[in-house]
Structure formats: structure tokens, C-alpha cells
């Protein structure tokens, strides 16, 4: 597998992957994180591509099998400025992955994408819905530590906030 920046030509495939991810989430006890709002909206994908923060994961046949948003820097995620019930581990610049999804065709796509992002910066933060046990299991298996609760602007549902410092 390999990672590359998304292009406008990838958008239809990315939308199909997100539709599959919403179904998967609903089938695995997480119908509310993306489902009710049909998240993410297509306009956001176009913006992410234009800003250079959208990525796709390709399998060995060069087929797009996963997609995600990645950005890194100091305070790059405004919703992470406030955290309840805990604290972040480190105040240095960090990377953030959002909207990670796979088509389910191969095992380990999410892990591959997360490890790629960790390799880019070595310090990451991520959040997920309390019902998203699949993502919670992935990040804890990668050594992320639960740091508290954050809130996103898209809805009022609390998000579990995780951080990993050092590769």
C-alpha cells in the first residue's frame, strides 16, 4: 500500500468509500457519528483537496482503498484547544487525522494510514465518537492515550480525544 495526495478525480471514489463507511459504522453500533448528516459533505472534500490536506491510500494494484484528512502544525485543530476531563500530553506541534475511512477490501488499511501519518510528524492527536469502538480499538492498539473529551462544531456529541507522542 502507499499514500498520495487526493485529486479532484478521486472524489467519486472517496464519496463511495464514505458511503460504505457510514453503513459499516451503523452496522457496528455507531449510526450517529457520520450517518444523520451524511458526513463528510462533498464540498468539504473539495476544500480539503484544494488546501492539500486530503489523502488516499492505494493498494498494490494502485486502486484507491482508503481516504483521510491529515494536517500538522501548532494548534492546527481549533476544537482541541478545550479539553474536558483530562489534558493533552504535550503542547508541541502535532498532526491530526480526520475522516479516515476504507472500502473494507483489505485488512489493515486504517492502521497503514495512521502509521503513515505518525511517520510524518511523530506526534498526533485524534478524536472519535464514543460509539466508534472500531476507531477506539485502532488508536489504543497504536499506543494512543485517552486524554479527555472535546466537542466538535458539527454537532453536540462529545468526542473521545487521544494523543500519541513519539513514534
Amino acid at each position: 500500500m502507499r499514500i498520495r495526495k487526493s485529486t479532484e478525480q478521486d472524489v467519486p471514489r472517496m464519496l463511495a468509500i464514505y458511503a460504505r463507511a457510514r453503513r459499516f459504522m451503523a452496522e457496528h453500533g455507531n449510526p450517529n457519528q457520520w450517518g444523520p448528516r451524511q458526513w463528510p459533505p462533498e464540498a468539504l472534500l473539495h476544500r480539503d483537496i484544494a488546501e492539500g490536506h486530503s489523502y488516499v491510500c492505494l493498494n498494490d494494484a494502485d486502486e484507491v482503498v482508503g481516504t483521510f484528512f491529515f494536517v500538522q502544525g501548532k494548534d492546527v485543530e481549533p476544537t482541541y484547544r478545550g479539553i474536558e476531563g483530562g489534558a493533552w500530553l504535550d503542547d508541541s506541534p502535532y498532526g491530526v487525522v480526520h475522516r479516515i475511512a476504507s472500502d473494507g477490501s483489505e485488512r489493515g488499511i486504517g492502521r497503514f494510514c495512521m502509521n503513515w501519518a505518525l511517520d510524518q510528524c511523530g506526534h498526533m492527536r485524534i478524536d472519535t465518537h464514543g460509539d466508534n469502538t472500531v476507531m477506539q480499538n485502532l488508536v489504543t492498539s497504536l499506543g494512543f492515550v485517552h486524554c479527555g473529551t472535546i466537542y466538535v462544531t458539527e454537532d453536540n456529541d462529545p468526542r473521545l480525544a487521544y494523543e500519541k507522542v513519539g513514534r
Side-chain angles (χ1 to χ4, degrees):
M1 284 190 270
R2 68 182 179 92
I3 304 294
R4 69 163 167 79
K5 287 197 177 225
S6 305
T7 67
E8 286 295 327
Q9 292 74 29
D10 294 318
V11 171
R13 180 68 178 136
M14 294 165 65
L15 289 169
I17 289 171
Y18 284 123
R20 186 253 174 213
R22 286 189 295 273
R23 287 189 306 275
F24 178 88
M25 290 170 133
E27 291 166 2
H28 290 85
N30 184 20
N32 297 314
Q33 185 172 354
W34 289 356
R37 295 170 290 121
Q38 298 298 300
W39 193 257
E42 184 174 346
L44 181 58
L45 302 183
H46 292 291
R47 187 180 83 202
D48 292 347
I49 291 168
E51 293 175 356
H53 302 306
S54 179
Y55 294 84
V56 290
C57 177
L58 296 99
N59 64 12
D60 293 337
D62 264 355
E63 301 164 327
V64 173
V65 294
T67 185
F68 61 99
F69 168 96
F70 174 72
V71 66
Q72 60 181 322
K74 181 73 172 164
D75 294 324
V76 292
E77 177 51 69
T79 60
Y80 290 176
R81 290 187 186 126
I83 186 167
E84 295 179 357
W88 295 113
L89 303 173
D90 187 305
D91 193 37
S92 66
Y94 57 89
V96 177
V97 167
H98 288 311
R99 300 183 289 282
I100 186 169
S102 82
D103 69 357
S105 64
E106 300 181 37
R107 290 187 55 82
I109 295 169
R111 179 176 298 277
F112 184 84
C113 295
M114 290 293 293
N115 279 327
W116 177 90
L118 279 164
D119 286 345
Q120 305 311 299
C121 60
H123 176 200
M124 283 189 48
R125 294 178 180 174
I126 193 167
D127 65 89
T128 192
H129 198 278
D131 291 338
N132 194 341
T133 58
V134 173
M135 181 55 73
Q136 292 169 46
N137 290 336
L138 173 60
V139 296
T140 57
S141 75
L142 291 171
F144 282 74
V145 175
H146 178 245
C147 293
T149 302
I150 61 101
Y151 292 86
V152 297
T153 57
E154 294 82 18
D155 61 44
N156 293 321
D157 293 336
R159 298 295 197 276
L160 303 176
Y162 292 86
E163 185 172 25
K164 182 173 182 175
V165 181
R167 185 79 174 113

